[in-house]
Amino acid sequence: MTPFPGSGLAKGLAVTLRTMTKKTVTEQYPDTQPDLPPRTRGVIGLFEENCTVCMLCARECPDWCIYIDSHKETVPAAAPGGRERSRNVLDRFAIDFSLCMYCGICIEVCPFDALFWSPEFEYAETDIHELTHERDKLREWMWTVPAPPALDPGAEEPKEIAAARKTAEKLAATQAAAQANQAAQTDQAGQAGQTAQTGPAAQAAEVTGAAEVTEAAEVTEAAQPAPESAKAVPTDSTDSVNLTDQASPTASVDPTAPANPTEPPEGQS
């Protein structure tokens, strides 16, 4: 559709009229700080603990406004028999903001997340030489860096956070195991000391108890009657006959004899 002549002028006049009818809002800076977007490119903050002095930021900077100095230190072996290692120690990290063009290349190429954008912008100076800020000032700006946005609910845990969490859990488990081992050793030492103190008394009590049990058993055996199978049985046949005769007087009587010895036998008067 071809616009009719004068349509652009009409749109401009409409915008002007709408703006004229709105109330003017003035931000009371510096009394009231402006609400800046989270990714505002103010200054660059340095997280010194993550810096390994790899020099990538200084080499990739198109303005050569980053200055880094370091020295090497020898780290002793972590385990017996291992070899010593050397590492770089940061001595100076400075950025000349009079040359910086805020391209953000140094932040993008840093492999260890040591550089971050800060929304801080109030660092004007009266002398251009004072715009070169050292690592102490850059570290102060690091604490003004806003927190990163939250991850999606279904996103994976970042590798850095997972590694830090696993290290913390491993350290906590090691400390708990050491405390438990120390408590077990303390209990064993206490039990050993108690046994050493009560050893002679316990042995005497055991000997006395054994003697009492033996004596009671002997008294019980003496009080019990002997079984019938243990009684003495005469082995002499003569004694056996005598005992039988004494026990049964009718065993030696003649069956033909009269029942009454005072009566005469038959055929006698």
Side-chain angles (χ1 to χ4, degrees):
M1 179 179 180
T2 304
F4 61 89
S7 61
L9 178 61
K11 290 181 180 179
L13 291 176
V15 172
T16 303
L17 293 175
R18 284 198 305 268
T19 305
M20 290 176 61
T21 57
K22 290 183 179 179
K23 183 179 180 181
T24 302
V25 178
T26 303
E27 294 185 358
Q28 301 299 323
Y29 178 81
D31 296 334
T32 303
Q33 294 292 329
D35 187 12
L36 299 176
R39 300 183 64 183
T40 299
R41 295 187 177 187
V43 291
I44 298 173
L46 171 66
F47 192 59
E48 186 177 342
E49 286 76 6
N50 286 356
C51 182
T52 61
V53 198
C54 64
M55 305 294 291
L56 276 178
C57 55
R59 289 199 298 265
E60 297 295 332
C61 178
D63 294 330
W64 293 85
C65 64
I66 300 177
Y67 310 105
I68 301 176
D69 292 333
S70 64
H71 69 278
K72 289 186 178 293
E73 285 186 357
T74 301
V75 181
R83 67 182 181 87
E84 297 179 347
R85 298 179 179 273
S86 62
R87 66 184 182 95
N88 293 324
V89 179
L90 183 66
D91 293 331
R92 184 194 182 199
F93 194 106
I95 299 178
D96 187 357
F97 285 97
S98 64
L99 297 177
C100 181
M101 64 179 183
Y102 306 94
C103 64
I105 293 177
C106 58
I107 298 175
E108 297 295 332
V109 300
C110 181
F112 301 106
D113 293 335
L115 298 175
F116 297 88
W117 278 119
S118 169
E120 186 68 27
F121 63 92
E122 297 177 325
Y123 57 95
E125 301 291 345
T126 58
D127 189 357
I128 192 173
H129 298 288
E130 295 180 358
L131 286 175
T132 301
H133 296 286
E134 301 292 334
R135 62 176 183 176
D136 296 336
K137 188 65 175 179
L138 299 179
R139 185 177 181 85
E140 292 180 6
W141 284 333
M142 179 63 203
W143 311 129
T144 63
V145 175
L151 299 176
D152 293 335
E156 295 182 358
E157 187 179 19
K159 296 180 180 179
E160 296 81 4
I161 298 178
R165 179 176 52 78
K166 290 180 180 179
T167 302
E169 291 177 354
K170 185 177 180 180
L171 180 60
T174 303
Q175 293 178 353
Q179 292 178 0
N181 189 14
Q182 184 177 2
Q185 292 179 357
T186 304
D187 294 342
Q188 291 179 359
Q191 293 177 0
Q194 186 178 1
T195 304
Q197 293 178 0
T198 60
Q203 292 178 0
E206 291 179 358
V207 172
T208 304
E212 292 178 355
V213 170
T214 304
E215 185 177 356
E218 293 177 353
V219 172
T220 303
E221 291 178 358
Q224 290 180 354
E228 295 181 358
S229 59
K231 292 182 179 179
V233 179
T235 56
D236 192 357
S237 60
T238 306
D239 295 339
S240 179
V241 173
N242 293 334
L243 291 174
T244 306
D245 293 341
Q246 292 177 3
S248 304
T250 58
S252 60
V253 177
D254 187 1
T256 59
N260 190 355
T262 58
E263 293 180 0
E266 295 179 1
Q268 294 182 4
S269 58

